[in-house]
């Protein structure tokens, strides 16, 4: 069976002072190949932890992750990561950053070059091969990060708040790019965000996580991602049901945040 | 003290002069000049190049002015040179008084010409005219009693000089000199020293320059100037490289393995605050004063700095980079080579810069203690012979080389780790 399944995952961090944090409790999820899933939740609810487990950087205390009938044991090239910021290699130029994955696989130099050229064109950075990454703007850097991830041709792309550090306008453009890449490449994508709008716009399925312990609170199936592939995202926002869904999710998140605040005050 | 006041005056005066001079030419098109809040805005403070220029000139001008340099026309008053005369009145054992003149030639021994003794008329009465010679900056005992009739008898004494009364343990001032009467009644004459520095304290710039030319062509103590400086540099480079070759891998190991970190942490943390200079005695006892000892000292000086900077470079890597590399299929070895090592380079360069500076200071200090050759040996040896010009020349060269090392490190840093701080 192709696809990704997350089976009854629990994650407990034992702290040095003897106490422990239940970051995730009994999280299960099945994702079909080619789906784009967005994950929302108040900060500290375990989103990053979940993604790190899928990526193989963390082993869950209970449960497992299965990708294409293989249990995930550690990081691997079939699961690509895009981070918020600072994950590019500053000592390499754009070309070498994007070619990193193919190079690890032992691809020939000329093949690498072609691949990089092609991907940079797709993300809108044609002719930027020789630029140093620290010369690029934040948005351009994230384009490079996307290209680097795609260069490895992973089955699943995991994104942890990839657009979180960008300004609103750049962010909007990048959201369009994510949808475009999703459609063109047919990759399975899990995208974490703390922006409700972004989650509603980009997620075929949208998961709302609840904190303490982190668990799936609610799941939505949404049409907007499919719409956004052929339409300007601003138009999508005018579509039927968009505002209603967004406001509903916003109020759920608000409630959770307030509960967290209340608990903090009690302590 | 006078020099400090002078310096402050130049500082303030130059400030106002430059301010007035630039107020006419001030351009309004750069951004900073449009800022209304500049006090406290660090980015609005850029070094005033005119100030730097005047500052350097001022140091040289003061140096020249206070050493009577021939490079500039105006000097602070120098020591009195020439003939000094005064008259005194003496009283002999029977209570009679008589006067006589004293003529003293004050001369500069450095200039080479030693004046001949003056031939003078002894004059009348029991007190006779005297003559003597004093070298500039020194004082001389003028034993007028030796020359006067009855000067050795009890009751003979000098009672006044140039009409001013004088008694034992008091002093009077005449033109160009201070005269002090010792407890035994002898006159001690100190000619006016002026404001200039004695050459043994501070030689004129041109003296230092001519010393540089001389040592540059003839060498000093069996080695040429280049050999002295070169040996110091070689020691630094060899010691530093040895420290880096051991220290960087050690730092990586400490950053990557708990066992290494646990094992070496106490050693590194203990050795780090020990100044390398404090190790000199031990190194001399263990390894003697030869090259081996010096290089080991410099090795120790750079080792801990390089270890700590490499360790910091490893722990400073953003975990997202490591995660990204793993997800892109990199092996541990590839992550080491392609991520951890390049990521640590900026830290290592910072360490290398600090380390080179410390090594340069340490090598000079070690050579001061014991060496046959080297910049430090040259100046400590010169100081034993009061060759202040050579000492100053050495200090200037040591400073210039230290500065050059730092600039070189910075240039290579910009070239090799251009992403630093970005
Ligand atoms: N390495 C860790 N050690 C201890 N606690 C951790 C660790 N990583 C995450 N946590 C805790 O797990 C919870 C979830 O964290 P995280 O997944 O980063 O949240 P999110 O990404 O949703 O903001 C938080 O309470 C956090 O403090
Ligand atoms: Mg997070």
């Amino acid at each position: 069976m192709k696809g990704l399944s997350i089976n009854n995952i629990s994650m407990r961090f034992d702290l040095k002072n003897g106490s422990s944090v239940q970051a995730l409790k009994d999280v299960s999820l099945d994702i079909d190949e080619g789906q784009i899933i967005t994950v929302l939740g108040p900060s500290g609810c375990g989103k990053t932890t979940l993604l790190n487990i899928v990526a193989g950087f963390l082993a869950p205390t209970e449960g497992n992750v299965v990708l294409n009938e293989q249990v995930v044991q550690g990081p691997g090239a079939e699961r690509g990561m895009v981070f918020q910021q600072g994950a590019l290699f500053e000592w390499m130029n754009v070309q070498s950053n994007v070619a990193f994955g193919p190079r690890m696989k032992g691809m020939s130099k000329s093949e690498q070059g072609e691949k990089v050229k092609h991907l940079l064109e797709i993300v809108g950075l044609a002719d930027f091969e020789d630029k140093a990454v620290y010369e690029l703007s934040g948005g351009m850097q994230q384009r490079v990060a996307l290209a680097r991830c795609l260069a490895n041709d992973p089955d699943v792309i995991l994104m942890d708040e990839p657009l979180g550090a960008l300004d609103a306008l750049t962010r909007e453009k990048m959201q369009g790019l994510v949808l475009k890449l999703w459609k063109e490449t047919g990759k399975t994508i899990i995208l974490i965000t703390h922006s409700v709008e972004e989650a509603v716009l980009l997620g075929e399925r949208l998961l709302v996580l609840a904190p303490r312990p982190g668990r799936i609170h609610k799941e939505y199936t949404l049409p907007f991602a499919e719409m956004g592939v052929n339409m300007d995202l601003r138009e999508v926002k005018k579509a039927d049901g968009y505002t209603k869904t967004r406001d509903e999710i916003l109020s759920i998140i608000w409630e959770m945040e307030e509960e967290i605040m209340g608990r903090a005050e009690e302590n | 003290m006078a020099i400090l006041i002078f310096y402050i005056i130049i500082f303030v005066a130059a400030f106002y002069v430059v301010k007035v001079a630039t107020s006419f030419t001030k351009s309004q098109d750069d951004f900073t000049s449009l800022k209304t809040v500049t006090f406290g805005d660090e980015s609005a403070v850029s070094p005033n190049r005119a100030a730097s220029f005047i500052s350097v000139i001022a140091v040289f001008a003061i140096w020249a002015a206070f050493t009577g340099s021939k490079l500039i026309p105006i000097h602070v008053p120098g020591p009195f040179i020439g003939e000094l005369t005064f008259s005194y009145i003496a009283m002999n054992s029977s209570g009679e008084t008589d006067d006589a003149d004293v003529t003293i030639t004050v001369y500069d021994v450095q200039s080479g010409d030693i004046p001949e003794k003056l031939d003078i008329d002894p004059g009348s009465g029991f007190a006779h005219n005297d003559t003597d010679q004093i070298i500039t900056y020194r004082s001389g005992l003028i034993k007028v009693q030796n020359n006067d009739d009855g000067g050795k008898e009890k009751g003979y004494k000098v009672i006044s000089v140039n009409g001013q009364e004088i008694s034992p343990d008091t002093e009077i001032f005449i033109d160009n000199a201070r005269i002090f009467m010792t407890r035994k009644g002898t006159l001690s004459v100190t000619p006016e020293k002026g404001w200039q520095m004695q050459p043994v304290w501070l030689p004129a710039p041109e003296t230092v320059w001519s010393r540089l030319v001389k040592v540059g062509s003839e060498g000093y103590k069996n080695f040429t100037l280049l050999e002295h400086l070169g040996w110091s540099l070689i020691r630094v480079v060899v010691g530093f490289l040895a420290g880096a070759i051991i220290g960087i891998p050690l730092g990586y190991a400490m950053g990557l393995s708990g066992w290494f970190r646990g094992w070496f942490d106490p050693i590194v943390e203990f050795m780090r605050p020990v100044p390398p200079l404090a190790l000199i005695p031990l190194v001399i006892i263990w390894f003697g004063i030869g090259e081996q000892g010096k290089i080991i000292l410099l090795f120790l000086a750079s080792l801990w700095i390089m270890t700590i900077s490499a360790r910091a470079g490893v722990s400073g890597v953003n975990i997202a980079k490591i995660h990204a590399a793993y997800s892109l299929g990199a092996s541990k070895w590839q992550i080491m080579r392609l991520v951890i090592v390049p990521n640590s380079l900026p830290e290592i360069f910072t360490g290398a810069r600090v380390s080179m500076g410390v090594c340069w200071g340490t090598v000079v200090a070690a050579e001061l203690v014991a060496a046959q050759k080297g910049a430090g040996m040259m100046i400590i040896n010169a100081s034993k012979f009061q060759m202040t010009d050579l000492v100053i020349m050495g200090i200037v060269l040591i400073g210039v080389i230290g500065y050059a090392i730092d600039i070189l490190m910075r240039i290579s840093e910009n070239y090799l780790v251009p992403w630093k701080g970005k």
Side-chain angles (χ1 to χ4, degrees):
Chain A
M1 190 200 89
K2 283 254 181 181
L4 179 73
S5 17
I6 294 168
N7 304 315
N8 307 93
I9 278 185
S10 293
M11 185 75 203
R12 199 184 64 245
F13 290 107
D14 292 320
L15 302 180
K16 285 210 177 95
N17 61 19
S19 65
S20 63
V21 179
Q22 190 73 41
L24 292 172
K25 183 143 172 105
D26 207 20
V27 175
S28 290
L29 183 66
D30 282 308
I31 303 171
D32 293 338
E33 199 184 356
Q35 271 187 333
I36 181 164
I37 299 209
T38 52
V39 182
L40 258 183
S43 88
C45 72
K47 303 185 293 293
T48 298
T49 306
L50 180 63
L51 208 70
N52 280 343
I53 289 171
V54 177
F57 303 139
L58 283 174
T61 38
E62 277 164 55
N64 64 7
V65 176
V66 178
L67 175 62
N68 300 339
E69 296 177 347
Q70 295 241 308
V71 177
V72 166
Q73 306 280 10
E78 73 285 353
R79 282 155 289 132
M81 290 285 293
V82 178
F83 297 89
Q84 187 175 55
Q85 227 182 11
L88 292 178
F89 308 130
E90 294 95 339
W91 44 92
M92 297 177 182
N93 60 13
V94 170
Q95 146 87 32
S96 308
N97 264 284
V98 178
F100 192 89
R103 184 174 161 198
M104 296 303 100
K105 283 183 179 156
M107 191 185 276
S108 77
K109 272 261 180 308
S110 58
E111 270 182 289
Q112 284 178 31
E114 265 169 48
K115 187 146 207 173
V116 170
K117 209 167 162 54
H118 175 64
L119 285 167
L120 286 181
E121 252 163 46
I122 293 183
V123 299
L125 284 180
D127 299 330
F128 277 70
E129 277 108 323
D130 297 328
K131 278 269 187 313
V133 293
Y134 54 83
E135 292 173 334
L136 303 180
S137 69
M140 289 173 168
Q141 291 188 358
Q142 287 314 82
R143 284 167 196 263
V144 176
L146 282 172
R148 180 175 73 175
C149 180
L150 287 172
N152 226 11
D153 208 12
D155 298 326
V156 181
I157 299 179
L158 308 170
M159 304 191 189
D160 192 355
E161 305 195 12
L163 314 181
L166 305 179
D167 64 90
L169 278 176
T170 314
R171 191 167 184 157
E172 221 176 270
K173 277 193 195 148
M174 293 293 287
Q175 287 166 351
L177 178 65
V178 169
L179 282 183
K180 178 183 144 196
L181 293 179
W182 168 59
K183 207 67 215 173
E184 279 182 15
T185 60
K187 303 283 179 205
T188 311
I189 296 179
I190 303 180
L191 185 145
I192 288 176
T193 175
H194 56 237
S195 153
V196 176
E197 270 198 0
E198 188 166 284
V200 175
L201 278 176
L202 301 187
E204 270 189 306
R205 289 166 72 189
L206 186 158
L207 301 181
V208 182
L209 294 196
R212 299 173 193 226
R215 64 214 124 98
I216 297 176
H217 176 76
K218 200 155 184 187
E219 179 176 341
Y220 293 82
T221 306
L222 302 171
F224 308 110
E226 197 63 55
M227 289 161 86
V229 171
N230 304 312
M231 213 196 279
D232 191 282
L233 289 182
R234 278 176 234 190
E235 294 300 316
V236 175
K237 286 181 194 172
K238 292 175 192 152
D240 263 1
Y242 172 81
T243 314
K244 186 173 158 286
T245 318
R246 188 196 64 188
D247 292 349
E248 185 184 324
I249 296 169
L250 258 177
S251 54
I252 295 175
I253 303 278
W254 264 99
E255 248 167 60
M256 286 179 183
E257 296 270 9
E258 259 169 26
E259 200 178 317
I260 294 171
M261 302 271 265
R263 253 189 276 179
E265 269 161 28
E266 274 167 37
N267 290 351
Chain B
M1 196 60 210
I3 294 178
L4 180 64
I5 291 168
F6 236 75
Y7 192 71
I8 292 172
I9 291 171
I10 293 179
F11 178 87
V12 174
F15 174 73
Y16 282 108
V17 169
V18 171
K19 195 173 173 183
V20 169
T22 52
S23 66
F24 300 113
T25 60
K26 193 155 199 171
S27 71
Q28 286 293 315
D29 21 303
D30 73 306
F31 175 60
T32 303
S33 68
L34 296 176
K35 283 187 182 175
T36 53
V37 176
T38 51
F39 187 79
D41 177 359
E42 210 274 335
S43 66
V45 179
S46 59
N48 187 325
R49 286 300 152 211
S52 313
F53 181 73
I54 297 173
S55 166
V56 173
I57 298 291
V59 167
F60 273 92
I62 288 179
W63 180 8
F66 278 83
T67 50
S69 161
K70 292 181 191 68
L71 295 177
I72 60 169
I74 309 164
H75 305 118
V76 297
F80 174 78
I81 294 176
E83 273 183 18
L84 195 65
T85 56
F86 63 89
S87 64
Y88 66 92
I89 298 173
M91 182 186 276
N92 67 8
S93 53
S94 43
E96 295 159 342
T97 60
D98 186 19
D99 65 339
D101 294 334
V102 179
T103 308
I104 298 167
T105 319
V106 183
Y107 68 99
D108 177 14
V109 75
Q110 308 270 326
S111 68
D113 32 61
I114 291 149
E116 292 181 6
K117 226 171 160 54
L118 293 177
D119 204 17
I120 48 155
D121 172 30
S124 61
F126 70 86
H128 299 302
N129 296 339
D130 300 78
T131 181
D132 207 344
Q133 297 176 328
I134 299 178
I135 296 170
T136 48
Y137 297 112
R138 307 270 177 84
S139 39
L141 284 176
I142 309 298
K143 297 189 171 169
V144 293
Q145 62 270 41
N146 289 358
N147 194 11
D148 291 358
D149 298 334
K152 293 279 162 46
E153 288 170 22
K154 212 169 172 201
Y156 171 94
K157 60 185 177 194
V158 174
I159 55 173
S160 78
V161 170
N162 273 6
Q164 306 177 56
E165 278 178 29
I166 192 164
S167 56
D169 273 340
T170 61
E171 60 177 18
I172 61 144
F173 291 91
I174 63 167
D175 284 350
N176 299 325
R178 183 185 76 114
I179 298 177
F180 173 75
M181 183 177 267
T182 64
R183 191 154 295 172
K184 285 182 175 167
T186 307
L187 296 178
S188 166
V189 177
T190 311
E192 181 62 60
K193 290 178 177 168
W195 286 17
Q196 291 183 8
M197 306 287 275
Q198 292 187 47
V200 287
W201 291 348
L202 181 66
E206 65 264 29
T207 319
V208 175
W209 175 253
S210 58
R211 174 66 67 178
L212 173 64
V213 172
K214 190 155 174 280
V215 174
S217 59
E218 293 171 14
Y220 184 74
K221 296 279 163 190
N222 306 328
F223 293 98
T224 66
L225 181 61
L226 276 183
E227 277 173 328
H228 281 299
L229 299 176
W231 269 100
S232 297
L233 264 178
I234 287 171
R235 288 165 181 153
V236 166
V237 170
V238 172
F240 164 76
L241 285 181
I245 286 169
I246 305 292
I248 293 174
L250 182 59
Y252 283 152
M254 287 177 71
L256 296 169
S257 143
W259 180 256
F260 270 91
R261 179 172 295 194
W263 187 277
F264 287 105
D265 244 356
I267 303 175
V268 171
E269 293 303 326
F270 175 74
M271 287 308 289
R272 175 165 71 161
V274 176
L277 300 185
L279 299 174
I280 292 179
L282 192 60
V283 167
I284 289 180
I285 292 172
W286 284 358
F287 303 100
I289 62 165
E291 292 310 320
Q292 198 193 358
K294 288 193 187 59
I295 286 176
I296 285 170
L297 182 70
L298 297 174
F299 163 73
L300 291 174
S302 72
L303 176 65
W304 314 120
I305 301 177
M306 295 315 291
T307 304
I308 288 164
S309 59
R311 189 183 66 183
V314 175
S315 10
V317 60
N318 186 343
I319 187 66
K321 288 189 173 61
I322 303 288
H323 280 171
Y326 271 119
S327 297
L328 292 167
S331 65
K332 276 189 180 170
W333 168 241
Q334 284 167 323
I335 285 182
M336 180 73 196
R337 194 163 55 88
L338 298 172
V339 182
I340 292 176
V341 169
N343 187 76
S344 65
L345 285 182
E347 288 277 357
I348 286 179
F349 257 95
T350 309
R353 251 179 82 189
V354 173
S355 175
M356 281 299 267
V358 169
C359 280
W360 184 242
T362 307
V363 79
V364 171
E367 289 165 355
L368 289 179
V369 176
Q372 265 100 49
K373 49 189 182 271
M377 170 272 168
M378 198 168 65
I379 61 174
I380 196 71
N381 196 284
S383 91
K384 282 178 192 150
F385 297 99
Q386 301 222 335
M387 293 162 73
T388 317
D389 46 359
L390 184 50
V391 172
I392 289 179
M393 180 204 91
I395 291 172
V396 170
L397 287 177
I398 288 167
V400 166
I401 292 174
Y403 189 53
I405 289 175
D406 198 56
I407 289 190
L408 220 68
M409 297 296 285
R410 254 188 285 182
I411 291 174
S412 48
E413 187 175 35
N414 282 343
Y415 182 71
L416 291 170
V417 286
W419 66 91
K420 183 177 180 183
K422 300 265 170 63

